[in-house]
Amino acid sequence: MSYSIAEAARRSGLSIDTLRYYERIKLVDPPARDTAGRRDYSDPDLAWLEFLTKLRLTGMPIKRMREYASLRRHGVVSAGRRKAILVEQRQSVAERIAELQACLEILDYKITNYAQVERKVLDNEPTVEGISA
Amino acid sequence: MSYSIAEAARRSGLSIDTLRYYERIKLVDPPARDTAGRRDYSDPDLAWLEFLTKLRLTGMPIKRMREYASLRRHGVVSAGRRKAILVEQRQSVAERIAELQACLEILDYKITNYAQVERKVLDNEPTVEGISA
DNA sequence: ATTTGACCTGGAGTGCACTCCAGGTCGTAG
DNA sequence: CTACGACCTGGAGTGCACTCCAGGTCAAAT
């Protein structure tokens, strides 16, 4: 199967401009072209784009993705380094999740405070703003 | 207790430049000044900075934080809207955590694949790259 | 035959969140 | 009394990740 850039954009969730941009910065290899010189994305192209969007979701900077992409071009000999990148990223994602979970607790605490303020306001009790509400 | 900008930076984890920047964009109220015209941060100032850094960790854009900061200046009447912002942010954090957890699984899957490739390489077995490894 | 719409290129522009800089002012230590 | 370090201001510069634009090509539809 092959796909126009519009179709590739739709399937990857990236914009057409972003697809061309990723190609320019060598994050993706130039796809095949049809007779009219238009980009013709293959299934493996799409699979790579999908994986890239996952890496992006993890917050990996483009620089690092480019590094990974470049290693990929060197075939199986680079597998070790590629794995190392993923392991490192795994670590940073785990840390980010922990960080977000801590923030979630703080938000919950604040939200609870606000709920209390609301109750007091309804009761016409004197209100005191939280330490930094 | 009151703190120099250097001390406030140290305690909040923000840079001195960022503290001044936050003040310029009205994310924090101008702190008191000492006799020499230097910023003199108070404990409530620090508490607000700490909370701001939490909001930032959740990925809240500065625009939104400014909105929250501005509501805060309007006192208790804005509590409802402030709570709404936090509730919305809570939601987006929860979604982000879910997203990251999904990514974690993909990373684990990939990492496992690489581990397999390594084993095959050690065994001198023929290797096949994963669909988009 | 022309119009339309999807695509092409190189390059400029955008928004965000800082970060840095030049030139100046204070208060204390030597 | 001067030298130093920490601080001040307004404004310019940075890095990231896109996003937009002008001007052009091409194949199919009217």
Side-chain angles (χ1 to χ4, degrees):
Chain A
M1 264 294 125
S2 82
Y3 312 90
S4 71
I5 194 166
E7 189 61 13
R10 204 188 58 71
R11 296 199 182 225
S12 64
L14 299 165
S15 75
I16 290 177
D17 274 317
T18 299
L19 285 176
R20 288 197 279 243
Y21 164 65
Y22 279 4
E23 190 180 329
R24 262 197 292 202
I25 64 170
K26 301 203 156 80
L27 192 49
V28 306
D29 292 332
R33 298 295 181 123
D34 68 13
T35 51
R38 292 177 191 166
R39 289 174 182 77
D40 222 358
Y41 291 86
S42 68
D43 280 312
D45 289 341
L46 269 272
W48 171 238
L49 285 175
E50 191 189 334
F51 183 54
L52 273 187
T53 61
K54 301 305 178 192
L55 288 184
R56 188 178 64 157
L57 275 182
T58 69
M60 185 182 282
I62 282 189
K63 235 187 168 186
R64 199 102 178 108
M65 292 196 265
R66 285 188 56 199
E67 192 186 337
Y68 188 93
S70 145
L71 286 172
R72 214 171 70 106
R73 280 178 213 109
H74 290 81
V76 78
V77 293
S78 70
R81 268 167 297 167
R82 278 181 279 157
K83 185 187 163 193
I85 289 174
L86 297 190
V87 167
E88 189 195 303
Q89 193 63 15
R90 203 218 111 92
Q91 175 64 16
S92 103
V93 171
E95 280 163 16
R96 181 79 179 120
I97 288 173
E99 198 172 71
L100 286 177
Q101 254 148 6
C103 287
L104 211 50
E105 277 174 36
I106 292 164
L107 285 176
D108 283 339
Y109 173 76
K110 281 280 182 187
I111 289 165
T112 307
N113 272 4
Y114 275 121
Q116 256 160 29
V117 170
E118 274 166 12
R119 248 173 284 123
K120 285 190 185 165
V121 167
L122 284 174
D123 294 351
N124 264 344
E125 275 179 37
T127 53
V128 182
E129 293 267 307
I131 348 174
S132 68
Chain B
M1 267 294 124
S2 84
Y3 312 90
S4 71
I5 194 167
E7 188 60 15
R10 204 188 59 70
R11 296 199 181 225
S12 64
L14 299 164
S15 74
I16 290 178
D17 274 318
T18 299
L19 285 176
R20 288 196 280 243
Y21 164 65
Y22 279 4
E23 190 180 330
R24 262 197 293 202
I25 64 169
K26 302 201 156 82
L27 192 49
V28 305
D29 292 333
R33 297 295 179 122
D34 68 12
T35 51
R38 291 177 192 166
R39 290 174 182 78
D40 222 358
Y41 291 86
S42 68
D43 280 312
D45 288 341
L46 269 273
W48 172 237
L49 285 174
E50 191 189 334
F51 184 54
L52 273 186
T53 61
K54 301 305 179 193
L55 288 184
R56 188 179 64 158
L57 276 181
T58 70
M60 184 183 283
I62 282 188
K63 235 188 169 185
R64 201 100 177 109
M65 292 196 263
R66 285 188 57 199
E67 193 186 337
Y68 188 92
S70 144
L71 286 171
R72 214 170 71 104
R73 282 181 211 105
H74 289 80
V76 78
V77 293
S78 70
R81 266 169 297 164
R82 278 181 279 158
K83 184 186 164 191
I85 288 174
L86 296 190
V87 167
E88 189 194 302
Q89 193 63 14
R90 204 217 111 92
Q91 175 64 17
S92 105
V93 170
E95 281 163 15
R96 181 77 179 122
I97 288 173
E99 200 171 71
L100 285 177
Q101 254 149 6
C103 287
L104 212 50
E105 277 175 37
I106 291 164
L107 284 176
D108 283 338
Y109 173 75
K110 280 281 181 188
I111 289 166
T112 308
N113 272 5
Y114 275 120
Q116 257 159 29
V117 170
E118 275 167 13
R119 247 173 285 126
K120 284 188 185 167
V121 167
L122 284 174
D123 296 351
N124 266 341
E125 275 181 36
T127 52
V128 181
E129 294 268 308
I131 348 172
S132 67

